[in-house]
Each structure stands twice: as C-alpha cells, then as structure tokens.
C-alpha cells in the first residue's frame, strides 16, 4: 500500500504516470480496470502491466509504442528469518523485496539448511514453499513472492542429503525430496562426464551398525 509505480509511455505521445498501489494490491491506470500487482515479482508485475496496457496502446505490439515501468517511492517493511539460516533475525527491507532478496540478505541456508524447503509464513499461515533448486537449475522464480510487513521466512533442516562424487559434470552435495531418485540426482549434477563408466555406479549408505 502507498508504494509508487512509475509508468512511462513513449510513442505517438509521451506520457508519465505515477500510480500508487492501493489497499487491494492493485494499481488503477486512468480509464482502465485495476491491475493487481500484489504477490508478483518486479519482472512479473512489469510484464503484466505491459500486457494489460496493450488494450489502450495497441502500438505496443508493433513496437511503435514503448512502455517502461520503474519504481517510485517505496516503503520499508520488517520481516523475520528463522531456522537454519546463516544470519537469522529481524530485517528491514524495501516493500518490493522478494523471498530471494531476503535469503541473499541473510546469507541463505546454513550447512544444515534444506535448500528445498523454505517456507513463507504470513499471519500464522503458510503461504508458499519455495524450492531454491527451481531457480538454480531451471531459472524458475514463479514462487519468489513479494514480501509483506511482518512476514516470516523459515528454513527447515535438511531431510535427505546425498554426496555425489566421481565422473559427473558437477560433483557436489545435493538436497533431495523424498520422491527423487538417483536419476534425478545425476540430472542435478549435469549428467555423466565423458569418461564415466555407466555400468558401475556405487552407492554407499550408512546404517545403524555399518556402511
């Protein structure tokens, strides 16, 4: 609320609009229906605004009209990061900060933190489970939501962690979900290297008495 978005229109006529986000999390462009931007990343909000305003400025499709979206006056909000975080605690961030922004500010998951199980809690309710692997391996930020005042981000301890060594492209330690198998693990590692002997893959598992 009261955050400001600046929309510049270039083309047949140059227009600059400074529009505040209302209590419903939307902006109201003159002579157009409200455009909801709450819960979107900055990139998603920009794409949505441009798509909606095509109905007013059809020249956007042909390239005769250009729309540039930027940020105006931005509030600060307070959030809390808990659990297996390198620097847990309370943080003051811009109101348009996202889950990724908060993780970056706090140093991200610590050595015990699960990269696959990062939870956004708002008003005591779980809003989204964010999986860092979606971004790291697929570039997917659809769950990288905008934060709100008093939000809590919780990083759980890892539940399944596997070390992959040998002739793969990216040997490393990986966090796996319960339904993910060895094939998924090798995919996260970029696949086998050129010198890999695929007919012999050894698994070392630590049991209660021996490995």
């Amino acid at each position: 609320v009261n955050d400001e978005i600046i929309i510049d229109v270039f083309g047949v006529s140059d227009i600059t609009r400074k529009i505040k986000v209302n209590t419903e999390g939307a902006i109201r462009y003159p002579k157009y229906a409200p455009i909801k931007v709450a819960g979107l990343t900055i990139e998603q909000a920009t794409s949505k605004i441009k798509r909606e305003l095509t109905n007013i400025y059809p020249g956007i499709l042909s390239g005769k009209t250009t729309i540039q979206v930027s940020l105006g006056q931005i509030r600060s909000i307070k959030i809390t990061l808990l659990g297996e975080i390198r620097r847990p605690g309370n943080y003051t961030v811009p109101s348009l900060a996202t889950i990724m922004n908060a993780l970056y500010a706090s140093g991200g998951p610590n050595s015990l933190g699960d990269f696959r199980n990062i939870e956004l809690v708002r008003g005591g309710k779980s809003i989204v489970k964010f999986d860092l692997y979606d971004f790291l391996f697929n570039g997917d930020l659809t769950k990288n939501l905008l934060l709100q005042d008093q939000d809590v981000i919780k990083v759980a301890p890892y539940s399944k962690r596997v070390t992959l060594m040998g002739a793969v492209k990216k040997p490393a330690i990986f966090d796996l979900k319960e339904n993910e198998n060895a094939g998924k693990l090798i995919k996260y590692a970029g696949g086998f290297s050129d010198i890999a002997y695929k007919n012999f893959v050894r698994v070392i598992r630590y049991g209660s008495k021996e490995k």
Side-chain angles (χ1 to χ4, degrees):
V1 183
N2 291 326
D3 290 329
E4 188 178 67
I5 292 179
I6 301 173
I7 302 175
D8 290 308
V9 181
F10 307 97
V12 177
S13 60
D14 292 347
I15 301 172
T16 297
R17 305 281 189 187
K18 295 183 178 180
I19 306 175
K20 291 187 179 296
V21 180
N22 63 25
T23 55
E24 284 74 41
I27 61 171
R28 184 67 184 267
Y29 196 83
K31 299 181 181 180
Y32 195 76
I35 303 172
K36 190 166 185 179
V37 295
L40 301 179
T41 65
I42 303 304
E43 294 79 7
Q44 289 170 338
T46 299
S47 296
K48 185 173 185 178
I49 291 169
K50 288 182 178 179
R51 185 170 62 250
E52 292 286 346
L53 294 188
T54 300
N55 296 315
I56 299 177
Y57 306 107
I60 295 173
L61 296 175
S62 64
K64 293 181 179 179
T65 301
T66 302
I67 289 183
Q68 180 177 320
V69 179
S70 56
L71 304 178
Q73 297 177 355
I74 303 300
R75 296 173 298 118
S76 293
I77 59 174
K78 292 183 178 180
I79 61 170
T80 302
L81 288 103
L82 301 175
E84 303 302 334
I85 290 280
R86 292 186 185 275
R87 296 187 296 274
N90 299 320
Y91 287 81
T92 299
V93 297
S95 61
L96 293 176
T98 64
I99 296 173
M100 281 289 288
N101 297 141
L103 291 174
Y104 181 81
S106 64
N110 62 22
S111 60
L112 298 177
D114 192 342
F115 279 59
R116 319 296 304 278
N117 189 6
I118 300 169
E119 185 177 16
L120 173 61
V121 178
R122 181 173 296 157
K125 297 181 179 180
S126 179
I127 299 299
V128 72
K129 291 286 186 70
F130 183 67
D131 185 342
L132 263 174
Y133 280 22
D134 287 342
F135 169 65
L136 295 175
F137 295 104
N138 303 315
D140 181 2
L141 285 173
T142 54
K143 293 184 178 180
N144 183 35
L145 300 186
L146 286 174
L147 300 176
Q148 295 184 13
D149 193 43
Q150 304 303 318
D151 275 354
V152 176
I153 296 174
K154 298 167 61 178
V155 177
Y158 72 85
S159 57
K160 188 198 297 190
R161 180 162 285 179
V162 180
T163 301
L164 185 59
M165 302 181 293
V168 290
K169 293 177 181 176
K170 292 182 289 186
I173 299 173
F174 296 92
D175 291 338
L176 297 183
K177 293 183 177 180
E178 289 303 319
N179 61 347
E180 292 181 328
N181 56 23
K184 193 73 172 182
L185 173 66
I186 293 171
K187 183 178 180 180
Y188 286 143
F192 292 104
S193 69
D194 294 338
I195 61 172
Y197 179 53
K198 301 175 185 178
N199 291 327
F200 181 67
V201 178
R202 179 167 55 182
V203 176
I204 300 174
R205 180 173 299 159
Y206 290 86
S208 57
K209 294 183 179 179
E210 59 185 10
K211 66 176 180 177

